[in-house]
């Protein structure tokens, strides 16, 4: 892949091409040298983003954690086992909620632990 000179800009403009869902392009490495790099092709990215958006819109009103329902022919031991998991999760959630309620409020943004007041930036 050759870098080409763009006559209008008067500087080097890297040539790019799409291959297998990636855009292959020239870029600078951390050492400042030219290197061949890849990024997700824009059309593929937009397609994926649109699919995620449509899925979110279709599922936004569903419960976050649907309740497990045993199959009609489930063994009683399996049902008891799975309900035990549910009970543990509920207890853990209650413990987290209680811990959050008893946690003291965070320090304000006006001062830190040492009592210093941060500099205030003025609008320019």
């Amino acid at each position: 892949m050759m870098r080409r000179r763009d006559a209008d800009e008067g500087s080097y403009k890297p040539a790019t091409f799409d291959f297998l869902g990636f855009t292959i392009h020239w870029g600078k490495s951390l050492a400042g040298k030219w290197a061949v790099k890849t990024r997700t092709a824009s059309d593929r990215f937009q397609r994926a983003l649109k699919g995620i958006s449509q899925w979110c819109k279709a599922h936004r009103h569903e419960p976050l954690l649907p309740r497990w329902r045993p199959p009609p022919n489930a063994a009683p031991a399996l049902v008891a086992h799975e309900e035990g998991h549910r009970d543990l999760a509920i207890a853990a959630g209650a413990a987290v909620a209680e811990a959050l309620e008893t946690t003291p409020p965070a320090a304000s943004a006006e001062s830190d632990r040492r009592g210093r007041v941060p500099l205030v930036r003025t609008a320019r």
Side-chain angles (χ1 to χ4, degrees):
M1 184 164 77
M2 300 280 299
R3 285 183 283 138
R4 62 180 164 83
R5 185 166 179 96
D6 190 17
D8 296 335
E9 294 182 6
S11 64
Y12 285 103
K13 184 174 181 180
T16 63
F17 64 93
D18 288 345
F19 180 68
L20 296 177
F22 293 97
T23 299
I24 312 297
H25 64 97
W26 281 100
K28 295 279 188 132
S29 69
L30 293 177
K33 299 189 183 225
W34 285 101
V36 176
K37 295 189 167 198
T38 59
R39 64 177 162 236
T40 305
S42 62
D43 59 338
R44 173 150 315 196
F45 180 74
Q46 291 298 324
R47 189 177 349 141
L49 198 59
K50 186 175 182 180
I52 291 170
S53 176
Q54 288 175 345
W55 185 90
C56 288
K57 285 180 182 179
H59 294 86
R60 72 173 119 193
H61 298 296
E62 293 180 3
L64 293 178
L65 296 173
R67 189 168 182 331
W68 180 77
R69 290 184 178 35
N73 57 352
L78 174 66
V79 174
H81 176 82
E82 293 300 326
E83 287 179 351
H85 285 294
R86 184 196 67 217
D87 295 341
L88 286 173
I90 290 172
V96 168
E98 182 181 343
L100 288 174
E101 288 175 0
T102 59
T103 303
S108 69
E110 296 297 320
S111 65
D112 64 2
R113 283 183 262 158
R114 296 181 210 125
R116 294 182 301 184
V117 177
L119 296 174
V120 177
R121 294 185 180 180
T122 58
R124 293 182 186 189

